[in-house]
């Protein structure tokens, strides 16, 4: 099929949402397309590549990433992108140059209206380096950044000034495939007013080569830059929280830190032992009342083990006894680590239930919550309410 450049240029100004999945695509010859005309467009767009000749050759051989870069350069009104691709010799470097140089020398507002991007690598053997995606944080209209398959082996090569990004939501919770060896500090600290942060940890950084265990303190140090704005925090409530045995550089777990001064925080989902700073011991270093802000409305305690019942029960009962310390609290959930699957059921979130012993243990607390108008229940992976029947 031949590409009519005039028609494409006409409709390109109306396109606001772009969804591309070229992960499994093989290069196909692009001889049916007006590559010469597109190369002229690239030249007019300004400094978009170090080697324009290589880009032109990749267009002629049908390289999907080369075509993605051209496509994006042509969509001046684009506001959201959902992208699935692996190796990116053209598109991601182009984003880096646009972010570093403003809008280059092009009269078109390339990526200047982009508000949200969703990038996912769903092959566990493939990954994106965190610094490859960091340039999206430079773009002036960005609000939502979602990504999967991202790892931080080293701090980013590209650095942002603190408090300059317009991004309000960072979602690194997709499929538990991200690994933040640096706590994604550059992402977090760059934000002026981050409102939502979701991160689920995968011990794997680079398949078969690099493994890094979850280090809560790195995330806490970065998140402290967002005390004034953070409203929802979901920190590894579904991901791997224990020692993997692969990470030789793992230091003794030294806790997370208090959230008492996060005055905008409404929702918190976090592993119990992370929040209460168990460390390598069997006892917590802090209490819930010490670390929770009075603004909190919803609390999800994840990775709960039955041997922690006495500690959890004492903390929860103290919270109810001092209700005035958490006046906005409306809902509490326990996310058990061990669940029972319904006999004969297909594996699905809705086919699990809470162990009878767990239900009975929390029954008095459940009744006390009802008397105070607080919802109490159990969940799986922090988003599926579980039956207690």
């Amino acid at each position: 099929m031949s590409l009519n450049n005039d028609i494409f240029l006409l409709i390109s100004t109306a396109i606001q949402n772009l969804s591309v999945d070229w992960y499994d695509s093989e290069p196909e010859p692009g001889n049916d397309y007006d590559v010469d005309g597109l190369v002229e467009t690239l030249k007019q767009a300004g400094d978009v590549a170090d080697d324009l000749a290589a880009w032109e050759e990749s267009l002629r051989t049908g390289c999907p990433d080369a075509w993605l870069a051209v496509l994006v350069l042509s969509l001046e009104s684009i506001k959201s992108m959902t992208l699935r691709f692996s190796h990116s010799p053209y598109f991601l470097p182009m984003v880096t140059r646009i972010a570093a140089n403003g809008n280059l020398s092009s009269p078109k507002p390339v990526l200047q209206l982009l508000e949200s991007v969703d990038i996912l690598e769903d092959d566990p053997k493939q990954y994106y380096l965190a610094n490859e995606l960091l340039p999206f944080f430079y773009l002036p209209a960005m609000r939502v950044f979602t990504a999967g398959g991202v790892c931080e082996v080293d701090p980013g090569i590209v650095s942002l000034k603190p408090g300059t990004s317009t991004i309000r939501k960072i979602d690194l919770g997709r499929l538990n495939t991200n690994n933040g060896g640096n706590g994604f500090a550059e992402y977090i600290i760059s934000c002026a007013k981050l409102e939502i942060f979701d991160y689920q940890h995968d011990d794997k950084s680079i398949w078969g080569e690099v493994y890094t265990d979850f280090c809560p303190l790195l995330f806490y140090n970065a998140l402290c830059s967002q005390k004034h704005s953070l409203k929802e925090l979901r920190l590894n409530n579904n991901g791997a929280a224990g020692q993997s045995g692969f990470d030789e550089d793992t230091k003794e777990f030294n806790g997370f830190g208090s959230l008492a001064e996060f005055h905008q925080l409404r929702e918190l989902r976090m592993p119990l032992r992370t929040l209460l700073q168990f460390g390598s011991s069997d006892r917590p270093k802090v209490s819930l009342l010490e670390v929770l802000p009075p603004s909190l409305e919803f609390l999800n305690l994840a990775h709960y083990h039955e041997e922690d019942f006495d500690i959890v029960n004492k903390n929860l009962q103290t919270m109810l006894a001092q209700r005035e310390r958490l006046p906005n609290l409306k809902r509490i959930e326990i996310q058990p680590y061990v669940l029972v699957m319904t006999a004969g059921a297909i594996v699905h979130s809705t086919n699990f239930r809470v162990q009878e012993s767990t239900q009975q243990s929390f029954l008095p607390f459940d009744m006390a919550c009802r008397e105070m108008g607080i919802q109490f229940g159990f969940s799986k992976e922090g988003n599926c309410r579980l039956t207690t029947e």
Side-chain angles (χ1 to χ4, degrees), residues 76 78 98-99 102-103 108-114 139-142:
E76 58 187 84
I78 191 168
I98 290 175
N103 197 29
K108 295 183 178 181
V110 180
L111 297 180
Q112 301 303 291
L113 301 179
L114 185 65
L139 301 177
M142 279 288 293

Side-chain angles (χ1 to χ4, degrees), residues 84 118 120 146-149 171-178 198 200:
R84 305 288 181 261
D118 184 336
L120 176 64
T146 302
D171 185 350
L172 298 169
R174 294 292 187 85
L175 303 177
N176 309 344
T177 57
N178 298 292
D198 188 335
Q200 308 302 328

Side-chain angles (χ1 to χ4, degrees), residues 71-135:
L71 179 63
V72 171
L73 280 173
S74 304
L75 302 178
E76 58 187 84
S77 300
I78 191 168
K79 291 186 177 181
S80 69
M81 293 194 301
T82 300
L83 305 174
R84 305 288 181 261
F85 58 90
S86 52
H87 182 54
S88 180
Y90 298 103
F91 173 67
L92 289 179
M94 183 193 74
V95 175
T96 299
R97 297 170 80 87
I98 290 175
N101 302 317
N103 197 29
L104 306 174
S105 59
S106 172
K108 295 183 178 181
V110 180
L111 297 180
Q112 301 303 291
L113 301 179
L114 185 65
E115 298 176 357
S116 67
V117 63
D118 184 336
I119 300 175
L120 176 64
E121 177 54 78
D122 53 9
D123 183 340
K125 295 184 180 181
Q126 302 294 328
Y127 58 89
Y128 302 108
L129 291 174
N131 61 73
E132 288 184 303
L133 306 182
L134 187 59

Side-chain angles (χ1 to χ4, degrees), residues 238-249:
N238 299 331
Q243 300 299 314
S244 67
F246 289 105
D247 186 5
E248 297 179 355
D249 297 325

Side-chain angles (χ1 to χ4, degrees), residues 119-186:
I119 300 175
L120 176 64
E121 177 54 78
D122 53 9
D123 183 340
K125 295 184 180 181
Q126 302 294 328
Y127 58 89
Y128 302 108
L129 291 174
N131 61 73
E132 288 184 303
L133 306 182
L134 187 59
F136 285 103
F137 285 67
Y138 279 95
L139 301 177
M142 279 288 293
R143 295 294 184 273
V144 179
F145 177 83
T146 302
V150 186
C151 72
E152 283 186 311
V153 178
D154 297 302
I157 298 174
V158 181
S159 60
L160 288 168
K161 293 182 179 179
T164 57
S165 175
T166 58
I167 287 179
R168 299 295 181 92
K169 177 180 179 180
I170 298 176
D171 185 350
L172 298 169
R174 294 292 187 85
L175 303 177
N176 309 344
T177 57
N178 298 292
N179 186 291
N182 193 41
F184 283 101
E186 289 192 283

